[in-house]
Amino acid sequence: MSLTISDEILNSSRMTASELLVEIAVMLFLQERVSLGKASKIAEMNYVEFQQLLAQRNISIHYDVEEFEDDIKTLQETGWL
């Protein structure tokens, strides 16, 4: 699925497309809708960079076995493992 956001909306947010993706990823992670690995993929950042971003924002990493397994799968798909 693709999501299209008009230039008008993007411009009114005063964010670049990359910044908006990061904000969406952080929000979904905070709401526990996606794992750390999926959020980093949405943000188009590698796993470690996304963890560092969360640390800079003082956001704790919630982590359970299911998320760990999901992240292992994501890391394998992206070639990090």
Side-chain angles (χ1 to χ4, degrees):
M1 178 180 120
S2 294
L3 176 65
T4 303
I5 298 174
S6 71
D7 290 336
E8 178 185 345
I9 292 172
L10 189 60
N11 290 336
S12 69
S13 73
R14 297 187 188 113
M15 287 190 226
T16 65
S18 296
E19 291 170 332
L20 185 57
L21 285 173
V22 168
E23 295 308 316
I24 291 168
V26 169
M27 178 200 63
L28 291 172
F29 178 77
L30 282 171
Q31 293 178 356
E32 299 184 17
R33 294 185 175 265
V34 296
S35 68
L36 186 63
K38 293 286 187 204
S40 67
K41 204 171 186 179
I42 292 166
E44 297 179 344
M45 301 172 82
N46 74 45
Y47 191 81
V48 174
E49 289 173 329
F50 192 73
Q51 279 186 314
Q52 290 171 340
L53 173 76
L54 294 176
Q56 290 168 356
R57 294 182 180 199
N58 295 317
I59 298 172
S60 299
I61 296 173
H62 46 271
Y63 217 62
D64 62 20
V65 173
E66 184 179 333
E67 288 176 314
F68 174 74
E69 291 170 348
D70 189 37
D71 286 344
I72 293 294
K73 182 179 175 187
T74 299
L75 289 171
Q76 289 170 335
E77 290 171 356
T78 58
W80 281 87
L81 261 184

